[in-house]
């Protein structure tokens, strides 16, 4: 075991260690257990991180604020948005739950840990693996939803109430869904949805109270919601759950990209209909694709495992990393020249 795997083993001690967890619960069996709060220092490489102030001292990135006070402030338009970290405490005091996503960017110990977790569970290199810190009080929390990820939740401070319920509407979801969106179902959910959704607040779900030191494994797709009557802090390790569908998209592209027909411009007439020429091109392209794709093998798909398998998260991560870099390096814009240079002036006028 290397240091990071040892740290994971310590964190998973309440369920018998990480190997036992993998055998008994990974990837789809819910479990929660109580353990010592002291072991949670392994989440942050030993750095003290037991209060929101500790987190905000290092987390230099936009903070997601969620809750009724955001609904009120926006006249009902949204229940969440991003705010600069300096404004997060004020929202927290008003009852918003705070989400500090990609927290591992600011904590090297956590960064090693999330990578080690991805490797330990045999997930492809392109899988999103990240740390997230949550803080709330005054009843703040997240409304009912399910995720397309798995979450390992470690409760650092305070008592937080979770409600969890089996998902009878969909299996193996490939995207997050908030119950508040119902009856709207995005296509990725609608295509695999059946029946009526659960009641708001999951009254027939299971209640779990997390206390400092508790851990909870939330498999992909379980309905859940949270509430913090008192000040709480928790740290999540979140692992993406890439599917064969994610890999096949890259394999299809790789298989077809050397065919000229597939690199033709998409071109329609003024009514948005296919022109006869375009139709003939696409029909040829599809015939050739059928032949090539039927020869793809499982190994061809596996070859794509190091591709970026979640473009949305990749974009979020790049954006947040670049914001963090600029501030970490204390970068300031170059001073404006006292007089516009002739060269610059002429180059801008030529554009
Ligand atoms: Fe969630």
């Amino acid at each position: 075991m290397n240091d990071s795997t040892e740290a994971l083993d310590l964190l998973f001690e309440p369920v018998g260690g990480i190997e036992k967890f993998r055998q008994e619960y990974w990837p789809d069996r819910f479990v929660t257990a109580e353990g010592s709060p002291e072991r949670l220092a392994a989440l942050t490489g030993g750095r003290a991180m037991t209060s929101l102030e500790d987190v905000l001292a290092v987390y230099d990135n936009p903070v997601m604020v969620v809750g009724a006070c955001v609904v009120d402030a926006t006249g009902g338009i949204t229940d969440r948005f991003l705010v600069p970290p300096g404004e997060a405490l004020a929202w927290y005091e008003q009852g918003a739950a705070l989400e500090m996503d990609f927290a591992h960017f600011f904590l090297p110990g956590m960064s090693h840990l999330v990578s080690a977790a991805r490797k330990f569970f045999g997930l492809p290199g392109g899988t999103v693996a990240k740390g997230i810190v949550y803080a709330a009080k005054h009843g703040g929390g997240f409304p009912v939803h399910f995720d397309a990820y798995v979450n390992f939740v470690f409760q650092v401070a305070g008592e937080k109430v979770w409600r969890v319920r089996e998902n009878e509407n969909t299996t193996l979801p490939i995207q997050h869904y908030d119950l508040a969106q119902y009856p709207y179902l995005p296509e990725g959910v609608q295509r695999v949805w059946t029946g009526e959704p659960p009641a708001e607040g999951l009254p027939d779900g299971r209640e779990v109270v997390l206390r400092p030191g508790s851990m909870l494994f939330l498999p992909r797709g379980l309905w859940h919601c949270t509430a913090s009557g008192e000040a709480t802090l928790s740290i999540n390790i979140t692992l993406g759950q890439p599917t064969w569908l994610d890999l096949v998209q890259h394999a299809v592209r790789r298989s077809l990209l050397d065919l000229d027909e597939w690199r033709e411009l998409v071109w329609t007439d003024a009514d948005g209909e296919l022109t006869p020429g375009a139709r003939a091109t696409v029909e040829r392209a599809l015939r050739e694709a059928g032949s090539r794709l039927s020869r793809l093998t499982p190994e061809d798909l596996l070859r794509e495992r190091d591709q970026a398998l979640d473009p949305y998260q990749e974009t979020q991560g790049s954006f947040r990393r670049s914001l963090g870099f600029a501030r970490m390096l204390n970068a300031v814009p170059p001073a404006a020249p006292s007089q516009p240079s002739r060269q610059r002036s002429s180059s801008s006028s030529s554009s």
Side-chain angles (χ1 to χ4, degrees), residues 168-315:
E168 291 162 0
N169 304 108
T170 180
T171 54
L172 303 173
I174 58 167
Q175 69 186 87
H176 170 108
Y177 182 67
D178 281 295
L179 181 60
Q181 294 177 275
Y182 192 81
Y184 168 73
L185 297 167
E187 190 191 16
V189 177
Q190 187 269 326
R191 291 277 305 274
V192 292
W193 179 277
T194 55
E196 293 299 311
E200 183 56 52
L202 305 179
D204 54 350
R206 172 177 169 186
E207 182 174 288
V208 177
V209 180
L210 298 188
R211 301 181 175 85
S214 299
M215 68 165 288
L216 179 153
F217 171 58
L218 189 73
R220 164 188 176 194
L222 281 192
W223 287 108
H224 58 284
C225 57
T226 58
S228 297
E230 60 188 52
T232 66
L233 190 75
S234 56
I235 298 179
N236 279 25
I237 295 175
T238 296
L239 297 178
Q241 300 286 277
T243 64
W244 295 109
L245 191 60
D246 295 314
L247 294 186
V248 79
Q249 294 174 63
H250 291 284
V252 167
R253 188 180 173 86
R254 187 193 294 270
S255 171
L256 302 182
L257 67 78
D258 65 326
L259 287 171
D260 286 353
E261 287 88 344
W262 282 107
R263 300 198 315 282
E264 287 276 356
L265 179 66
V266 175
W267 182 262
T268 60
D269 64 20
D271 298 324
E273 302 294 332
L274 284 167
T275 61
R279 176 177 294 282
T281 301
V282 178
E283 284 175 348
R284 259 198 330 276
L286 287 170
R287 268 197 305 278
E288 183 59 26
S291 158
R292 288 195 180 194
L293 298 184
S294 70
R295 294 196 295 273
L296 283 178
T297 65
E299 285 70 29
D300 289 329
L301 268 58
L302 204 55
R303 189 176 164 199
E304 309 296 337
R305 63 186 156 197
D306 293 330
Q307 302 274 3
L309 297 175
D310 187 332
Y312 173 77
Q313 290 291 329
E314 288 291 329
T315 308

Side-chain angles (χ1 to χ4, degrees), residues 134 145-147 151 162 176 218 224:
Y134 292 94
H145 66 281
F146 60 74
D147 301 299
N151 278 297
W162 280 67
H176 170 108
L218 189 73
H224 58 284

Side-chain angles (χ1 to χ4, degrees), residues 28-84:
D28 54 9
R29 199 168 155 217
F30 175 87
V31 65
T32 181
E34 310 233 345
S36 88
E38 291 74 27
R39 80 187 198 291
L40 301 188
L43 282 164
T44 51
R47 187 183 175 115
M49 194 68 59
T50 54
S51 70
L52 178 57
E53 288 72 20
D54 290 341
V55 180
L56 290 173
V58 296
Y59 185 82
D60 191 9
N61 228 224
V63 175
M64 183 76 83
V65 298
V66 181
C69 60
V70 179
V71 175
D72 292 345
T74 61
I77 292 173
T78 182
D79 71 345
R80 67 195 63 190
F81 49 48
L82 289 167
V83 302

